[in-house]
Amino acid sequence: MIRVLDQRDHLVKENQKLQEQLEHERMKVSVLKKEKEQKEQSKEEQESRPLSTVGI
């Protein structure tokens, strides 16, 4: 019985550790998505601007 409880305790700790890792990875993905959106937005802004003001 004690062994089963020890094993359960170990699995609970392992699960908690994995949940924290998962949350950390999700945060990294969120940051990367925001950076990508900002780069795409700035790229679209640059493309919409005229390359030169000569002749305007």
Side-chain angles (χ1 to χ4, degrees), residues 14-43:
E14 181 71 15
N15 186 33
Q16 185 177 6
K17 184 176 111 178
L18 291 171
Q19 290 288 342
E20 289 172 1
Q21 286 178 349
L22 178 61
E23 185 61 30
H24 181 71
E25 292 298 319
R26 284 181 174 160
M27 289 176 69
K28 284 171 37 178
V29 167
S30 177
V31 167
L32 289 172
K33 281 183 178 179
K34 286 179 184 177
E35 289 176 357
K36 181 181 175 188
E37 288 173 4
Q38 288 175 349
K39 284 181 182 178
E40 288 175 351
Q41 190 177 28
S42 68
K43 184 178 178 183

Side-chain angles (χ1 to χ4, degrees), residues 39-54:
K39 284 181 182 178
E40 288 175 351
Q41 190 177 28
S42 68
K43 184 178 178 183
E44 289 172 2
E45 289 173 0
Q46 287 176 354
E47 289 174 352
S48 66
R49 288 190 215 137
L51 295 176
S52 173
T53 56
V54 175

